Amino acid sequence: MRRTRTVLLSLAGLLAAVVPAGTATSVPTAPQGCAASPGPAQGQARQVLDIAEQARREFDLNSVILSVASGDKDVLTTALGESMTGVPARPSMHFRTGSVGIAYMATVLLQLVEQGRVGLDDPVSRWLPDLPHGSEITLRMLGASTSGLHDYVTDPKFLAALEAAPFREWTANDVNAYATSQPLLYKPGTNWSYSHANFQLLGAALEKISGMPLQRLLTERVFGPLGLNRTSNQYTPDIPAPVLHAFTSERGKYEESTFWNPSWTTARGAVLTGDICDLTRSARGLGTGALLSAQSFKTQLDPGTVGLGHATADCPATVCLTNTPATHFGFGVLVINGWILTNPSFSGYAAIQAYLPAEQISLAVSTTKGPKSPEGNQAEKIAERIAAALTPAHPLKAN
């Protein structure tokens, strides 16, 4: 059995305080390419670089690619280590960005609510009539992860099938069957537990609501407005060049996992790749509410999750996690001590994008594993250390 559980969204430490829903902040025009900052690194840039270099050695990482900005100003964009043996990592390299797509889907739903095309508390059965308990589960519950649906990524049978055939193409019906074949963990809306099935279903509902493919929705409503020119959906395991290669020991031996099939991870049309500069711009765009009204942004930061999360006979404390004002799941995003973020992890790839409105700091980190890398999302750990150095009053770590 695999050494580590592959998850799209790391929840080992949920994330954050309710931050004021301010007015949308402009996002600077996207540069033509993603390049390293000119050297030599000094001041804050030197601090960030020292943290990254030390962490790469400590965690035996093949690569660390990062970008940190203060407002519109680049603090440091750089790449350390190698993509493959003899191939240096570069900021322009593309990698899988996983759960960032979940935040985009949640944002698009809020936009459609603003336009009066749908209500957050409409039952999912209106668009997905065959979904078990669809009349009890609302769109809000999918985006806030309060539906009570099991997470198929924790299902032993699913994990065994995934491990046996990492190149397999999975359909939404394939993966959702693992979640819907089991009883709900709790009455929808009364507790909190993360489930990848929520976002498979949200993507399908968005297509029905809008009448257009999810990829087009995200391109027109998120990628274009934020200038994410190097972010794209992939319908195959391909990654646009230049590629950051990944390796993992999840199946018990250290092997390349770059082109393992990500079709199981989230809704078809939102299986994304991008580069580190797009990830930093994405952090700023989502973290300022640039795509939403002030009221919708406030809902994204707390759709009713604060105060939810408690263990029951059917849902242990490790699954039904407590959401507090300081550390909680929002509407497709995590919030921790004022930071707004997502932290994807997929078969040797790990990343984080985070924005702190109080200091206008955006940061993004992507890492790939070496043969002796520890379990967990090491990009998240590097981001925590950067935040501790640059914004000590706002730790990027659950209390």
Side-chain angles (χ1 to χ4, degrees):
M1 185 54 93
R2 60 183 57 206
R3 284 178 48 205
T4 60
R5 185 173 66 199
T6 300
V7 291
L8 190 61
L9 183 65
S10 169
L11 294 170
L14 265 173
L15 313 162
V18 179
V19 301
T23 56
T25 302
S26 63
V27 178
T29 302
Q32 291 302 306
C34 187
S37 306
Q42 298 178 346
Q44 287 187 328
R46 183 73 251 179
Q47 283 183 286
V48 172
L49 184 58
D50 288 346
I51 289 168
E53 289 177 334
Q54 196 278 331
R56 190 174 78 83
R57 294 189 299 269
E58 178 183 343
F59 300 134
D60 187 41
L61 298 170
N62 281 352
S63 69
V64 176
I65 304 178
L66 63 85
S67 181
V68 180
S70 177
D72 295 343
K73 181 182 177 183
D74 175 62
V75 173
L76 179 69
T77 299
T78 193
L80 307 174
E82 295 183 319
S83 170
M84 299 184 292
T85 302
V87 179
R90 305 194 306 274
S92 60
M93 286 180 165
H94 296 86
F95 49 88
R96 304 200 188 280
T97 56
S99 59
V100 175
I102 288 171
Y104 296 162
M105 286 190 284
T107 297
V108 168
L109 176 57
L110 290 170
Q111 291 174 344
L112 294 172
V113 171
E114 287 178 9
Q115 295 171 357
R117 297 174 65 177
V118 68
L120 268 186
D121 297 312
D122 290 347
V124 179
S125 57
R126 180 175 171 185
W127 297 278
L128 305 177
D130 297 328
L131 175 67
H133 303 285
S135 61
E136 305 167 59
I137 297 170
T138 66
L139 294 171
R140 182 192 300 270
M141 293 172 192
L142 293 183
S145 211
T146 61
S147 67
L149 289 166
H150 281 258
D151 187 3
Y152 58 83
V153 169
T154 65
D155 187 293
K157 292 182 180 178
F158 170 77
L159 289 175
L162 183 64
E163 182 178 279
F167 296 100
R168 171 181 169 177
E169 177 77 15
W170 293 82
T171 68
N173 287 339
D174 290 337
V175 293
N176 287 336
Y178 287 95
T180 58
S181 63
Q182 302 183 60
L184 294 177
L185 291 173
Y186 45 82
K187 181 181 177 181
T190 64
N191 208 336
W192 186 91
S193 58
Y194 188 81
S195 174
H196 287 70
N198 289 324
F199 301 100
Q200 290 276 4
L201 295 166
L202 179 57
L206 286 171
E207 291 191 329
K208 295 289 184 66
I209 294 164
S210 66
M212 67 174 63
L214 183 59
Q215 174 179 281
R216 181 179 165 190
L217 267 180
L218 297 183
T219 300
E220 292 183 359
R221 290 176 171 267
V222 180
F223 307 162
L226 292 184
L228 305 180
N229 299 333
R230 296 169 299 275
T231 295
S232 60
N233 166 69
Q234 305 302 316
Y235 286 114
T236 73
D238 191 28
I239 300 176
V243 179
L244 179 67
H245 286 248
F247 301 81
T248 184
S249 301
E250 288 180 11
R251 300 200 306 163
K253 60 181 179 180
Y254 187 67
E255 58 187 330
E256 181 164 6
S257 54
T258 308
F259 300 109
W260 284 6
N261 198 315
S263 55
W264 58 271
T265 56
T266 195
R268 180 177 171 84
V271 182
L272 307 180
T273 62
D275 68 16
I276 202 68
C277 291
D278 265 15
L279 209 59
T280 309
R281 290 175 53 75
S282 170
R284 179 175 173 81
L286 291 182
T288 59
L291 301 176
L292 298 170
S293 68
Q295 184 58 45
S296 292
F297 186 46
K298 184 177 181 180
T299 298
Q300 185 159 48
L301 299 183
D302 179 14
T305 49
V306 172
L308 293 180
H310 58 275
T312 70
D314 298 316
C315 192
T318 54
V319 176
C320 283
L321 301 174
T322 300
N323 286 251
T324 70
T327 301
H328 64 269
F329 191 80
F331 204 66
V333 297
L334 295 163
V335 192
I336 180 165
N337 296 327
W339 291 89
I340 302 162
L341 62 139
T342 62
N343 53 351
S345 180
F346 172 86
S347 299
Y349 289 107
I352 184 172
Q353 68 165 46
Y355 184 75
L356 179 64
E359 302 289 344
Q360 296 186 22
I361 296 290
S362 359
L363 67 85
V365 183
S366 172
T367 62
T368 54
K369 292 181 178 292
K372 298 179 181 178
S373 292
E375 297 181 8
N377 186 330
Q378 307 309 320
E380 191 175 64
K381 294 185 182 299
I382 294 171
E384 289 173 3
R385 295 179 183 183
I386 293 171
L390 301 186
T391 61
H394 300 274
L396 184 52
K397 189 174 184 179
N399 295 329

